[in-house]
Amino acid sequence: MLPLQRWLSPEEAAEVLRPYAAFKQRSAGNGMDVDALVLSDGFFSGAGLFTGGRVSSLRLENTRGSTFIDGDLVVDGWLENPGGLVFVRGNLIAHTVYTSEYLVILGDLRVRRLFGEDEPLGTCVFGDAHVESAIFSHNHQFNVWGTAHLGEEVHDEVHGREALRQRLVDWGLLSDPRQEVPLDVVRHGLRGLAESWGPLSDELASLRYTPKPSDFVAEPPVRPPRPDIILELEQWFASTPLPQRQQLEALRTQWLARLSDSTVRAEAERVIRKHLNSKKLITDRDALLRDLG
């Protein structure tokens, strides 16, 4: 576990993000989807500010909101982000990283194995990325502002599921590329592989992130007021007794037209993705979001 410094409200979390010019200047020009508002809100719950450091293995699970790592994070084995919003204010160095949602790294990313699973926001690196082997599945986005050094990468949408499974065979986690395998089995295998390699080299573990003057900006970000329809949608999700499948039907019949305005679509999509998270409904949910525009 990493030491917890303090819990941050969404407003305090936004203030922690404030000095970084990269969020407002770099992302748009590079096609990076870095949403500082979502990151600071932690889906409207704020963030926990944790002290960086060196650990053997780590699972970043924070149900209260975002996870901010204050400084460099060095992991001798396995690092897992099982679906949260994580911002590393420094370098991230590990044998293996498994992430299934939003991971933002202000410094460099250096890993032997990287597995990015699911969407919508993916992994964003403002420094350089040095990755020996990477697998990206279910439309996980990977964006690097600096230089990307990827020895090999496989995207299931581009190369096919069999190519992805073949890479797992190459890594010793499957015996047959035709074999379907649950993701929890993949996670378990990747963790065992990472922890079998022993500690990182002293050279890697000693790397430190040094901010550049261009990383900072004086003016604070402007947090626009949230539309009334979005607040109403959140309240509906919080109070409805309907199971997720019936919620999906209600969204299509009662909400879709009301959320069609271009000024609320993106935030409505984030709220819907947060609450309709059953893997059985992902195809139908994504079809609804396509209809949303």
Side-chain angles (χ1 to χ4, degrees):
M1 295 292 292
L2 295 173
L4 173 66
Q5 294 184 21
R6 59 194 176 99
W7 291 105
L8 306 170
S9 68
E11 292 72 24
E12 291 172 317
E15 184 64 18
V16 171
L17 296 176
R18 181 192 61 79
Y20 301 110
F23 285 110
K24 62 180 294 186
Q25 296 174 359
R26 296 181 179 175
S27 58
N30 197 43
M32 293 172 67
D33 187 11
V34 177
D35 192 326
L37 182 62
V38 173
L39 193 64
S40 63
D41 281 353
F43 289 131
F44 322 115
S45 303
L49 182 64
F50 295 82
T51 301
R54 185 173 184 176
V55 295
S56 56
S57 287
L58 185 63
R59 178 181 169 91
L60 296 169
E61 191 168 25
N62 177 12
T63 58
R64 290 185 57 176
S66 296
T67 297
F68 287 5
I69 308 298
D70 193 11
D72 300 303
L73 179 59
V74 178
V75 184
D76 283 308
W78 160 264
L79 175 68
E80 180 178 353
N81 172 23
L85 306 179
V86 176
F87 173 44
V88 180
R89 303 202 313 169
N91 295 328
L92 173 55
I93 302 169
H95 275 316
T96 297
V97 171
Y98 184 106
T99 178
S100 59
E101 202 171 299
Y102 195 16
L103 174 63
V104 178
I105 302 157
L106 193 62
D108 293 343
L109 171 67
R110 291 175 177 264
V111 296
R112 292 180 66 176
R113 300 285 185 268
L114 173 62
F115 196 111
E117 191 265 332
D118 219 338
E119 44 81 30
L121 293 171
T123 299
C124 300
V125 183
F126 282 94
D128 297 334
H130 302 260
V131 181
E132 290 185 14
S133 298
I135 287 179
F136 303 113
S137 68
H138 298 105
N139 197 35
H140 186 90
Q141 302 299 305
F142 183 67
N143 295 296
V144 181
W145 175 254
T147 302
H149 306 272
L150 273 70
E152 58 178 357
E153 61 179 307
V154 174
H155 296 260
D156 64 346
E157 287 84 3
V158 177
H159 304 102
R161 298 291 295 176
E162 187 166 326
L164 184 151
R165 292 193 295 269
Q166 179 61 56
R167 184 59 64 239
L168 294 177
V169 170
D170 297 340
W171 291 0
L173 303 179
L174 285 181
S175 58
D176 188 334
R178 296 167 297 181
Q179 175 186 353
E180 290 289 350
V181 58
L183 283 173
D184 59 342
V185 175
V186 174
R187 285 195 295 268
H188 180 77
L190 285 172
R191 177 167 187 160
L193 186 63
E195 293 177 344
S196 72
W197 287 329
L200 294 162
S201 69
D202 291 339
E203 179 184 5
L204 275 178
S206 64
L207 294 175
R208 294 293 179 264
Y209 169 69
T210 302
K212 308 175 185 66
S214 60
D215 287 340
F216 298 97
V217 65
E219 66 271 18
V222 176
R223 292 171 58 87
R226 302 183 62 229
D228 291 342
I229 186 65
I230 296 298
L231 297 175
E232 184 183 346
L233 178 63
E234 289 176 349
Q235 180 59 38
W236 178 77
F237 271 120
S239 60
T240 181
L242 298 174
Q244 288 196 25
R245 184 171 295 280
Q246 292 182 29
Q247 290 176 28
L248 185 63
E249 295 171 359
L251 284 169
R252 182 170 293 281
T253 58
Q254 301 173 27
W255 287 90
L256 195 60
R258 300 181 64 198
L259 299 170
S260 61
D261 190 291
S262 60
T263 62
V264 302
R265 286 177 193 159
E267 192 166 0
E269 180 175 336
R270 287 195 293 268
V271 173
I272 292 170
R273 287 186 186 280
K274 173 191 173 183
H275 290 280
L276 294 184
N277 51 24
S278 169
K279 292 191 178 296
K280 294 180 180 179
L281 298 177
I282 285 178
T283 299
D284 291 338
R285 180 204 67 186
D286 288 352
L288 171 77
L289 294 176
R290 284 194 296 271
D291 292 341
L292 181 63

